[in-house]
Amino acid sequence: MGMGSDDVTETFGAGFLVRWLAAVAEDVDREADRLTELDSAIGDADHGANLKRGFAAVTETLANEPPATPGAVLTTAGRQLISTVGGASGPLYGTLLRRAGKALGEDGEVTRERLAEALGAGVAAVSQLGGAQVGDKTMLDALVPAVEGLRSSYEEAGAAAEKGALATVPLQARKGRASYLGERSIGHQDPGATSSALLFAALADTARAEGV
Ligand code: ADP
Ligand code: MG
């Protein structure tokens, strides 16, 4: 590590992903009220609380039993989210991380490119589980461009996710609770796309802090 993000052979181990998810937990904790506010406009006002509970449990589990490989970090985190978060976002984020972890396999060190590929598989699984596509005003509007951006750099992933989340504002929701509102869902940023942007902002922050 520490050779710069333009070095394509740069690798990271389990610890990097543990620190990423700890950063996510911190950011979600700080932004919980905002996520809940967004969900109160077009949902049921629980998105902040859902993710706060979920990622706190993830952090605790990873601290108590640190997995040995990057893949195991993601599968453990995904399983924890599914069992802790009741709302739609728990199984969806859980599936994202579990499927990505499975794709990373048993390797002790992986590259950003492998992570992008693995998260790509995770995003496909989220789309399959929830039946949503880009443009339906869901977390996929941030996740899909984020994973695409991750093929270039951590920075690009964070920026693309943020842009995707902002782009949900003028859309009408076609999936999830917000879709019950029909046209009244227009003009509000999707809570799940917003939390997905937090995930990738935290990844970019962690990579920058560690010189990955
Ligand atoms: P719930 O909707 O059960 O209250 P949350 O409030 O935690 O769950 O999460 C809501 C978010 O989940 C939405 O903003 C949206 O981004 C995401 N979501 C809901 N349904 C789907 C789906 N079918 N596919 C992808 N994302 C979805
Ligand atoms: Mg909700």
Side-chain angles (χ1 to χ4, degrees):
M1 289 212 253
M3 293 175 69
S5 59
D6 50 358
D7 182 340
V8 291
T9 63
E10 193 79 37
T11 65
F12 58 79
F16 175 72
L17 294 184
V18 170
R19 291 186 291 277
W20 167 37
L21 294 170
V24 170
E26 262 183 49
D27 291 356
V28 159
D29 191 67
R30 197 186 55 236
E31 299 288 327
D33 288 350
R34 180 170 160 248
L35 295 174
T36 287
E37 222 168 89
L38 293 172
D39 197 32
S40 74
I42 58 170
D44 58 353
D46 64 355
H47 193 56
N50 281 345
L51 291 194
K52 204 169 146 171
R53 186 169 64 249
F55 281 98
V58 164
T59 305
E60 198 188 328
T61 300
L62 294 177
N64 290 342
E65 300 163 48
T69 63
V73 171
L74 298 187
T75 50
T76 301
R79 205 178 311 122
Q80 189 65 54
L81 284 177
I82 291 168
S83 65
T84 312
V85 181
S89 61
L92 292 165
Y93 277 132
T95 295
L96 170 72
L97 297 182
R98 243 178 24 160
R99 183 66 190 80
K102 198 173 152 204
L104 289 180
E106 309 274 296
D107 294 356
E109 293 273 324
V110 300
T111 60
R112 171 176 47 73
E113 288 82 354
R114 283 271 326 273
L115 181 63
E117 214 174 282
L119 286 170
V123 167
V126 169
S127 177
Q128 191 172 21
L129 176 65
Q133 310 287 336
V134 169
D136 288 343
K137 198 181 180 100
T138 71
M139 59 174 67
L140 287 165
D141 290 350
L143 292 175
V144 169
V147 164
E148 190 54 40
L150 190 57
R151 295 181 198 285
S152 307
S153 71
Y154 292 104
E155 278 296 302
E156 185 53 38
E162 177 63 22
K163 196 174 159 205
L166 291 172
T168 62
V169 173
L171 299 177
Q172 178 172 334
R174 285 195 288 251
K175 292 287 169 188
R177 231 175 253 285
S179 67
Y180 308 154
L181 293 178
E183 288 184 358
R184 279 180 296 140
S185 64
I186 294 172
H188 302 277
Q189 188 167 322
D190 179 63
T194 307
S195 56
S196 288
L198 283 184
L199 251 74
F200 281 88
L203 182 62
D205 288 346
T206 306
R208 194 182 319 108
E210 304 196 9
V212 170

